[in-house]
Amino acid sequence: MVMRPLDRKLVRDLFHLRGQVVAIALVVACGVATVVTTRTAYESLVSARADYYARYRFADVFAHLERAPDVLRARIAEIPGVAAVETRVVADVTLDVPGLSEPAAGRLLSLPDGADPRLNAVHLRGGRPLDASRRDEVLVSEAFAQANHLRVGDAIGAVLNGRWERLRIVGIALSPEYIYEIRPADLFPDPRRFGVLWMSRAALGPAFDLDGAFNDVSLALVPEANQEEVIARVDRLLERHGGLGAYGRDEQVSARFIEDEIAQNRVTGTVLPAIFLGVAAFLLHIVLSRLVSTQREQIAVLKAFGYPKRTVALHYLLLAMTAVAIGALLGIGLGLWLGSLVNGVYREFYRFPRFPYEPGAAAVAIAVGVSALAAALGALSAVLRVLDLPPAEAMRPEPPARFRAGWIERAGLLRRLATPGRMVARNLSRRPVRAGLSVLGLALAVAILILARFFSDAIQTLSDVQFRSAQREDVAVSFHRPLSSHARFELAALPGVLSSETYRAVPARIRFEHHSRRVAVMGLHAQPSLRRIVGRDGRPVSLPADGAVLTSHLARLLHVEPGDVVTLEVLEGRRPALTVRVTTLADELLGLNVYLEDRALARLLEEEGSVSGAFLRVDAAASDALHQRLKRMPAVAGVGNRLAALASFEATLARNLGVMNGILVAFSCVIAAAMVYNSARIALSERSRELASLRVLGFSQREVTQMLLGEQAMLLVLALPLGFWIGHGLAKLLADAYAWELFRMPLVVTPRTYAYASLIAVLAALGSGALVRHRLRGLDLVASLKSRD
Amino acid sequence: MVSAGAKDVAVREALFEARGLSKTYVVGEVVVSALAGVDLDLFRGELVVLLGPSGSGKSTLLNILGGLDVPTHGRVRFLHHDLTNAGEEILTRFRREHVGFVFQFYNLIPSLTARENVALVTEIAARSMPPDEALGLVGLADRLDHFPAQLSGGEQQRVAIARAVAKRPDVLLCDEPTGALDCETGKRVLEVLSRANQELGTTTAVITHNAAIAGMADRVIRMRSGSITGIQVNEQRVHPAELEW
């Protein structure tokens, strides 16, 4: 095929500008890659979730209660809007896992005998279904089995309602209720110490004295049902049966986590590509503007020879489109690869029967569309200039650069600068918009670097506040039901226990005006030393003798302010409705909590110092002996280990943040390098004559390089504080967006992060500076002097 | 007589000695011979005009003398330094310490004022004169703070001359200094050059294809096709104001 001359010019111009074309293509690639990565990752997650929820009949509404007879099921099914009801027995138990010294926590769920559950069906990964005639058979969740190397045929110990039993594993299973398998109130999954187990109703019911009764109910709703209405009716029905309050998928822990992940992905998938493609458009703008001014005469000749304006303008638009298309192709490839990596990380956290990485054409189409838009935006002004240029005028060379004393000059700021410094300052102030945009581009790179580190900073703070400041116990023990305060002496007598602090936890619904939330009301010691209430600044909040302390986020959700009186509808025992004045808000990072001094809570509940559990400080040497005892204590429902939780938290973090951090750091390096390279390259081409003159006047290679790169250094110096500011702003944006019920992201940007962002930006700048210096060495002095620019 | 002889020797001290200089360029696939065996001495304090049509090799010769280029064959010495095989760094130092350049298109730095353009050079030179004095010398004492874009062509060229002489170079090399100027402006520029040569004693070489300028020189060196075709010594230098073209 014969190429038309204009096409040939296009190819040659692209080759001539290859350095800048590559820089633009890389920035576009990063933007497109972020679009493709985040979109395909979350689309895969959304489609796997939709498929799983539908095929395994994930319920819409959940409720836990003390005990209700099976006949109540029919009454629940009659509630308008309810499509299906499943009742079952659920129990939290302590597990003795081979190879694990401390006790693990297990959640036992009953499955109907010999039938599939109507809701929340399990997917069998291995082994066989339960045999209802065998009382000791269990299915265990896949994550728990894998973490503890459990196989079909293995046995684990469990304390069922006070009796120690040996349970045989007959199958490995998954459930839509536990895609994200996490112990309630935990932040990250700890599959080694928390697992879900399924037993037949015939075995589990009698074990917990729930023969012919249930303590948990799930509902599916018809599409047009009013969920709030259904929840209110369920609550009324269950009130007499010790109902703990029904809730929808929005409060179901696993569903909530996935929903939050998708929301977070949407934010990242919008903010990051916008930054990258904006930078790409800007780079295109300066490269094309420069090209059009150096090719004025060529444009004039083309027009003079009768090429229509449109054809010539299209030629320059095509140049932009080609650079962007290269980047888009690269970005799609990169994005698909990174998407599969993210999918791999997801697989570790989210357990689906089928979780394929299936990138849709839509994500690719969006990426292409958005990048084409960036190309068009970037090319716009250059193309308009091509259209406007009258042939006769264009034949004349561009008028010389005009410099005047600007406001900086008049303010006398340059007087102290040496001459090269003045040149730098004047060159920047002569094109303030371009300099400003360059500074903005570099600042965005710095901001992204800050963002990348902010996640680590925030999580580190969260972990410090939670695991070092608030939680100071070694072991936390919770009981199945409240015990008398004498339990404290029994705990103190256990091997290795150095000190203990009991607490009272009461499930309740907190109500203020028309807002309400399900919470656990905690009664703590007046002067706690093992478990304190700590705000995000790391300072402990003291408990008032009267009145309640609320987590700030809960107060916000309920629109409560200090001094307001809230109602606590207790969801156990006599179910009294207590009124309490809120005295203090604690800006806690985890959970939604209500705290009272334990004596005040006892007074309100009219009880004599019942305890729900205790925090223990333990002599490490005796911890194995203590764990052995705790595993078999009938009263103990769960045992938490602070150091183990901290370790799993940090390990999870390293895996999860590693990938994302790597991507962000690499991408922001690309922006920083591309910005510096391009602006130094343009400066070099615009001022090669000037630089050659300086060389002729006796300035050394090094001095001239310093003058050229000094300008870029100046831009970087201006960009750093701006980048810090934008980075902090983006971090705040994310911290605000990540204010969830389960945890809040603290807005912490450490000096180390600022230093790190600056260092990476400077390194990227030095790298591209080296490329330009190489070009400067090749400057032809004689030829540059001869030409009239 | 003895004193006269001594003066004569002093005047005739050769600043540059070029022997058998030749330069060939490869332009695309064509080999161009720009200089073909040129022998030339430039003496301290003299004003030389290199006259020739374009392509005669005069610019190449000037570039080699000024340390912007190196010959393909032959030797060139400046005082006691051999420039023939000097590296980039030595040539840069040579230009910085000894040579002042004036170009056809002035080559001022657009972002610097007249005074600053001169200061740019005086800051890096050892025995320079104050920029204001240099600009006074070229008659621009009242234009110190103007940027190049605010000056006429002749004024810009005079700033370029001030910049070149301010560091008190041993030699001033001017490549078509009036090439972009009209006659009257050109004569003013030549006057400035002539004055700098006489008052400061700077050896000056002016390249031109304008034969009318030859009258102001001590010696006129004619070139054609890369060779020197003749050297003419003017007994009496004509004042630039009296030149006509």
Side-chain angles (χ1 to χ4, degrees), chain B residues 119-201:
Chain B
L120 186 68
V121 172
T122 57
E123 276 170 11
I124 60 165
R127 46 199 171 92
S128 55
M129 65 179 84
D132 296 16
E133 187 187 327
L135 285 162
L137 198 68
V138 298
L140 286 176
D142 56 339
R143 312 287 267 169
L144 299 177
D145 293 318
H146 287 65
F147 284 93
Q150 298 166 318
L151 297 171
S152 72
E155 286 171 330
Q156 289 187 52
Q157 192 61 300
R158 277 146 65 200
V159 173
I161 294 170
R163 182 175 68 179
V165 299
K167 64 177 178 186
R168 301 183 201 279
D170 292 298
V171 61
L172 194 56
L173 301 176
C174 315
D175 194 346
E176 300 277 8
T178 58
L181 302 173
D182 62 67
C183 173
E184 283 311 308
T185 319
K187 282 201 276 190
R188 278 230 59 188
V189 166
L190 292 177
E191 263 177 56
V192 170
L193 278 180
S194 177
R195 230 175 88 201
N197 168 253
Q198 279 169 344
E199 289 179 13
L200 305 173

Side-chain angles (χ1 to χ4, degrees), chain A residues 635-646:
Chain A
V636 171
V639 177
N641 186 314
R642 181 178 63 96
L643 288 180
L646 178 60

Side-chain angles (χ1 to χ4, degrees), chain A residues 401 403-405 419 422-423 426 689-690 693-700 703 782 785-786 788, chain B residues 59 63 68 88 92 95-96 101 103 105 107 109-112 116 120 123-124 147 150 163 167 175:
Chain A
F403 281 87
R404 293 191 182 282
T419 313
R422 272 184 232 185
M423 287 169 62
R426 288 206 187 117
R689 209 168 87 92
E690 178 179 320
S693 303
L694 289 169
R695 292 276 292 113
V696 168
L697 292 177
F699 283 86
S700 66
E703 286 164 327
V782 176
L785 293 175
K786 284 283 167 201
R788 216 219 134 101
Chain B
S59 287
N63 288 341
L68 288 178
E88 182 57 46
T92 299
R95 293 198 300 265
R96 192 172 184 143
F101 282 102
F103 297 100
F105 297 117
N107 291 68
I109 308 298
S111 58
L112 297 179
E116 288 164 350
L120 186 68
E123 276 170 11
I124 60 165
F147 284 93
Q150 298 166 318
R163 182 175 68 179
K167 64 177 178 186
D175 194 346

Side-chain angles (χ1 to χ4, degrees), chain B residues 1 10 12 30 51 58 67 72 74-76 80 90 119 125 127 139 142 156 181 184 195 205 212 217 236 244:
Chain B
M1 203 57 209
R12 302 299 292 177
V30 186
L51 196 62
K58 51 191 195 305
T72 316
R75 306 192 62 76
V76 56
H80 304 294
I90 292 176
R127 46 199 171 92
D142 56 339
Q156 289 187 52
L181 302 173
E184 283 311 308
R195 230 175 88 201
Q236 202 68 49
E244 242 8 284

Side-chain angles (χ1 to χ4, degrees), chain A residues 520-574:
Chain A
V521 178
M522 291 288 282
L524 296 178
H525 279 204
Q527 300 291 331
S529 66
L530 293 182
R531 177 66 70 99
R532 307 184 301 176
I533 308 165
V534 177
R536 70 173 69 202
D537 54 2
R539 274 208 291 268
V541 176
S542 58
L543 269 175
D546 247 330
V549 174
L550 254 65
T551 309
S552 303
H553 192 67
L554 176 62
R556 257 195 304 281
L557 292 174
L558 298 173
H559 298 88
V560 169
E561 284 177 24
D564 288 338
V565 174
V566 296
T567 309
L568 297 173
E569 299 168 8
V570 175
L571 298 171
E572 67 167 33
R574 296 178 302 104

